[in-house]
Amino acid sequence: MKRTVMLSLALLITVAVMAASKATVYFTLTPQMNCENCENRVKTALRYEKGVKQIATSLATQVVTVTYDPTKTSPEKMEGALKKIGYTAKASKTMPKVKVNPQPGTCPESKNGKCSHGHK
């Protein structure tokens, strides 16, 4: 009986610690993401940051949502990773109010269907 109680207590403490070590941050980027290639570049850059658990990008809202372990990384470190690939990121702890992009997936820098950084 004593062993079961101790095991249950240890399990509850473990679950509480794991739940407490998650945070979410929302990024808006400059320049904007304009296509799936942009989204993939952003996800790849963030994926290499230690402690990043989940990444979601949206062309329509231009928001990058990252769930991470705050004991291993910070929004400032993630901003640095995004800066390395050419983005200036603004972090927020709450979902920013954004204007929805009416035509996601089109690059405004494209000429004749191609652009200088690989968009279609």
Side-chain angles (χ1 to χ4, degrees):
M1 177 77 174
K2 189 175 182 181
R3 181 183 248 176
T4 305
V5 171
M6 292 301 284
L7 186 61
S8 297
L9 184 60
L11 182 61
L12 285 173
I13 290 171
T14 303
V15 170
V17 168
M18 289 178 73
S21 64
K22 274 189 177 180
T24 301
V25 66
Y26 304 93
F27 292 104
T28 52
L29 305 177
T30 304
Q32 290 187 340
M33 297 178 293
N34 294 300
C35 66
E36 191 175 313
N37 189 32
C38 292
E39 287 182 299
N40 290 335
R41 286 180 60 217
V42 167
K43 287 178 182 177
T44 299
L46 292 171
R47 201 170 282 129
Y48 286 106
E49 275 301 309
K50 201 177 239 184
V52 170
K53 304 290 184 190
Q54 188 175 8
I55 307 160
T57 57
S58 172
L59 288 176
T61 62
Q62 293 296 310
V63 174
V64 179
T65 306
V66 182
T67 303
Y68 66 99
D69 181 345
T71 63
K72 294 184 179 180
T73 193
S74 67
E76 292 78 18
K77 287 182 181 177
M78 290 182 266
E79 287 173 358
L82 292 167
K83 188 172 187 161
K84 287 180 185 176
I85 61 167
Y87 288 98
T88 301
K90 181 180 177 188
S92 174
K93 291 188 181 206
T94 59
M95 177 64 102
K97 293 181 182 179
V98 293
K99 186 176 177 181
V100 176
N101 184 355
Q103 295 181 336
T106 58
C107 179
E109 298 177 36
S110 66
K111 294 177 184 171
N112 301 328
K114 295 181 181 179
C115 76
S116 61
H117 48 281
H119 298 144
K120 294 181 178 184

